Amino acid sequence: MSSPRRRTRLRPTDLLRLGMIGPRTRKTRSALSAFGICLGIAAVIAVTGISASNQAHLLARLDQLGSNLITVSPGKDSQQQLVPLPPTAEKMLARVAPVQQVTATGATKAEIYRNDLVPKQQTGGISVLAARLNLLDVLHATVRSGQWLDKAAENLPVTVLGDQTAQRLGVTAPGERVWLGGQPYVVRGILAPNDLAPELGTAALVGWPQAKAQLGADDSAATVYLRAHPERVPDVQAVAAATANPAGPSMVAVSRPSDLLVARGEAKGALTGLVLSLAAVALLVGGVGIANTMVVGVMERRGEIGLRRALGARGGQIAVQFLLEAVLMGFIGGIGGLVLGSLAVYGYALAQGWPVSVPFYTIVAGPSVSVLVAAVAGIYPALRAAGASPTDALRSA
């Protein structure tokens, strides 16, 4: 009695070598098929990367303009009288977790004039404010001419004028003197116009220690400016009043986040659907190219298939061989597309002066999608190869 026929088994390394037969023997055709997948993945990476870089640039610009800026100032009581902020308001607001930067200006009792000969009643609507050293950083303001206050200057009789203040006083350049608080002050700088805090345009700013020592200021902030994490601006706004004045949150005025915050949300949620659709079409074309290459390969290699079947190879092993060939071409195309797309994003973003941003999910999904597309495209040719009978394949070879 004859012994039962032993079923042949192939180790994974053997299957991998068999899967490399097609790409090694038909290099040009396999390379062109992989290139189709490469273009599709590169299109996906480039589209998402350039879109993300553009979005990052736009969001940074919106944040710079003030989409995450909140202003806290004294509110009114039941008698419609302004209620000063507690001296601890600035420090308490700085402790709120999503708050990134805090600065403040403080009121003084001083008046400013061009010189001591100007009548006292001609104040010109100019306010003299104590200022923190980081005021310009938080407000993204700039000095048009001269210099801003530093640790040395904040203790000296020097001032920085708003642009309108300088115009009203007739000050044209730093170094000139003005009459402030009953004594001469040297103009250290003149601010450029700032849309985020237009009130600074009609102010004269003095270092806080100098304002406390000579101009009647105290530790209470007249206005607190804070920048919060862009995603947490509404949360910070909701707790700002109670944080600044726990005893009377209703007597604190908190600015509504700018309409720029709405624009920021819309920009972040914008989708590049049309371009992504084009990238999907490119992937589909690449998959069709791989399927076509595999079908033609099955027809050309019928002799090889018949011989392997006659030597004992099972249909499933033949199917796995051709499926591996498709997957390898997809993987090679995916890696190539990832590299090509990333280079395109880097080059374009660098040329535009944008921050380079390639979403991590596209880096992971690019090669994965290419392998998946190639596997789907290779199923039919693999099944066709597995279904070929040894006699028919050898006869037609």
Side-chain angles (χ1 to χ4, degrees), residues 29 304 323:
R29 183 177 296 171
E304 174 193 335
L323 191 59

Side-chain angles (χ1 to χ4, degrees), residues 172-242:
T172 58
E176 298 184 29
R177 294 179 178 272
V178 294
W179 192 256
L180 195 158
Q183 64 181 27
Y185 271 64
V186 177
V187 176
R188 182 177 173 87
I190 300 175
L191 297 179
N194 185 273
D195 293 333
L196 296 183
E199 63 273 13
L200 297 185
T202 57
L205 303 169
V206 179
W208 210 293
Q210 175 69 13
K212 287 179 61 178
Q214 301 293 333
L215 305 178
D218 54 26
D219 292 324
S220 299
T223 304
V224 179
Y225 303 94
L226 58 90
R227 283 190 180 269
H229 189 282
E231 307 295 337
R232 304 289 301 278
V233 171
D235 298 333
V236 175
Q237 185 199 18
V239 302

Side-chain angles (χ1 to χ4, degrees), residues 120-135:
K120 300 296 182 182
Q121 65 272 17
Q122 295 183 8
T123 60
I126 301 171
S127 55
V128 179
L129 301 175
R132 300 295 185 196
L133 296 183
N134 65 338
L135 181 68

Side-chain angles (χ1 to χ4, degrees), residues 44-320:
V44 173
I45 298 295
V47 166
T48 55
I50 291 175
S51 176
S53 299
N54 186 15
Q55 186 182 83
H57 172 71
L58 178 59
L59 295 180
R61 289 289 298 159
L62 289 176
D63 290 343
Q64 185 177 17
L65 290 174
S67 65
N68 63 337
L69 180 68
I70 296 176
T71 302
V72 179
S73 56
K76 296 181 179 180
D77 58 14
S78 58
Q79 304 298 322
Q80 298 301 306
Q81 299 295 320
L82 287 177
V83 179
L85 294 175
T88 59
E90 185 181 356
K91 293 181 179 180
M92 293 297 292
L93 288 169
R95 293 178 181 177
V96 178
V99 173
Q100 298 172 326
Q101 292 178 295
V102 175
T103 190
T105 58
T108 70
K109 299 177 181 179
E111 302 288 350
I112 183 172
Y113 306 94
R114 185 65 180 89
N115 53 52
D116 57 347
L117 301 178
V118 178
K120 300 296 182 182
Q121 65 272 17
Q122 295 183 8
T123 60
I126 301 171
S127 55
V128 179
L129 301 175
R132 300 295 185 196
L133 296 183
N134 65 338
L135 181 68
L136 298 194
D137 292 334
V138 175
L139 296 178
H140 295 165
T142 57
V143 178
R144 187 179 67 190
S145 59
Q147 296 178 327
W148 175 241
L149 302 171
D150 54 27
K151 289 187 176 181
E154 70 174 349
N155 296 283
L156 300 175
V158 298
T159 180
V160 176
L161 305 180
D163 59 303
Q164 296 181 47
T165 299
Q167 184 178 2
R168 294 176 187 180
L169 293 177
V171 175
T172 58
E176 298 184 29
R177 294 179 178 272
V178 294
W179 192 256
L180 195 158
Q183 64 181 27
Y185 271 64
V186 177
V187 176
R188 182 177 173 87
I190 300 175
L191 297 179
N194 185 273
D195 293 333
L196 296 183
E199 63 273 13
L200 297 185
T202 57
L205 303 169
V206 179
W208 210 293
Q210 175 69 13
K212 287 179 61 178
Q214 301 293 333
L215 305 178
D218 54 26
D219 292 324
S220 299
T223 304
V224 179
Y225 303 94
L226 58 90
R227 283 190 180 269
H229 189 282
E231 307 295 337
R232 304 289 301 278
V233 171
D235 298 333
V236 175
Q237 185 199 18
V239 302
T243 303
N245 189 354
S250 61
M251 293 180 288
V252 178
V254 180
S255 67
R256 181 179 64 86
S258 169
D259 291 337
L260 289 174
L261 183 62
V262 178
R264 188 185 191 280
E266 293 176 351
K268 187 175 182 181
L271 299 176
T272 55
L274 176 60
V275 188
L276 288 176
S277 299
L278 295 176
V281 170
L283 272 179
L284 179 61
V285 171
V288 171
I290 286 182
N292 178 65
T293 299
M294 297 303 297
V295 169
V296 173
V298 169
M299 296 175 63
E300 290 181 347
R301 297 162 64 184
R302 283 177 293 186
E304 174 193 335
I305 295 170
L307 180 59
R308 291 197 59 221
R309 292 298 305 275
L311 292 175
R314 299 194 304 273
Q317 294 172 341
I318 300 295
V320 170

Side-chain angles (χ1 to χ4, degrees), residues 22-39:
R24 283 203 312 263
T25 57
R26 293 164 177 80
K27 296 180 181 179
T28 302
R29 183 177 296 171
S30 299
L32 290 175
S33 298
F35 187 64
I37 288 287
C38 175
L39 289 180

